[in-house]
């Protein structure tokens, strides 16, 4: 991992600023999760210290919510499969291999989708959820970045609790 954060590396310059920021957030997520969570055992990944959500939940939720948010950004509704996968995010047993395979696939797919969306009109209306709450394409892309980073932070904090890092 580079000591320079993705947004300062001069990468993704072919993508407009908002999309570029989202791509950088996805790269940072992958790097931070790999650094702080990859070496956890399966039981540590699934541990719930002080009753908080497990690292496994945050990784699984990050991967699956990325797919859902980008589906809304593309102007589509969720599929039955996406809805079913949402209901299993809190499942208590996951292996490191399964979690990181799902995460890496989701981040790669998400990056490709963000690249396609990045040149569209960011003010285009979009809706979210069964209630069709109003937002814009730009609003969804920005939320993809901040939501991803929120769950990375929670996963890293929980990882530190599990291994008792001061």
């Amino acid at each position: 991992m580079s000591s320079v954060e993705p947004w300062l590396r001069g990468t993704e310059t072919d993508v407009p600023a908002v999309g570029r920021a989202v791509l950088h957030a996805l790269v940072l997520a992958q790097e931070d999760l790999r650094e702080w969570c990859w070496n956890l055992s399966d039981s540590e990944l699934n541990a719930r210290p002080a009753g908080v959500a497990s690292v496994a939940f945050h990784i699984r939720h990050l991967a699956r919510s990325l797919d859902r948010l980008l589906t809304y950004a593309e102007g589509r509704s969720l599929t039955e499969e996406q809805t079913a996968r949402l209901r299993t995010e809190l499942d208590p047993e996951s292996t490191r291999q399964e979690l990181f395979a799902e995460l890496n696939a989701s981040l790669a797919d998400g990056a490709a989708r963000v690249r396609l969306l990045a040149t569209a009109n960011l003010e285009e209306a979009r809706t979210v959820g069964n209630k069709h709450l109003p937002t814009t394409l730009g609003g969804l892309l920005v939320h993809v970045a901040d939501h991803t980073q929120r769950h990375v932070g929670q996963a890293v904090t929980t990882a530190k609790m599990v291994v008792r890092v001061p």
Side-chain angles (χ1 to χ4, degrees), residues 69-76 117 120-129 132-141:
L69 290 168
L70 289 174
T71 297
Y72 293 132
E74 293 162 343
R76 299 183 294 120
L117 292 165
N121 176 0
L122 298 180
E123 296 303 321
E124 281 185 30
R126 295 291 191 268
T127 61
V128 174
H132 301 285
L133 300 172
T135 189
T136 61
L137 172 56
L140 273 159
L141 289 177

Side-chain angles (χ1 to χ4, degrees), residues 74-142:
E74 293 162 343
R76 299 183 294 120
S77 297
L78 298 184
T79 65
E80 287 182 28
E81 180 184 349
Q82 287 171 309
T83 303
R85 289 171 53 81
L86 170 63
R87 290 190 291 270
T88 63
E89 289 179 0
L90 282 170
D91 284 357
E93 294 301 320
S94 299
T95 68
R96 179 180 55 219
Q97 295 298 330
E98 293 168 342
L99 286 169
F100 278 87
E102 182 176 357
L103 173 70
N104 292 337
S106 178
L107 291 172
D109 177 67
R113 292 164 75 183
V114 168
R115 285 181 156 281
L116 292 173
L117 292 165
T119 57
N121 176 0
L122 298 180
E123 296 303 321
E124 281 185 30
R126 295 291 191 268
T127 61
V128 174
N130 292 334
K131 294 182 180 181
H132 301 285
L133 300 172
T135 189
T136 61
L137 172 56
L140 273 159
L141 289 177
V142 168

Side-chain angles (χ1 to χ4, degrees), residues 6 20-30 144-146 148-149 152:
R20 183 179 331 125
V22 177
L23 292 173
H24 289 152
L26 298 181
V27 169
L28 185 60
Q30 188 169 41
V144 162
D146 67 38
T148 296
Q149 287 302 309
V152 169

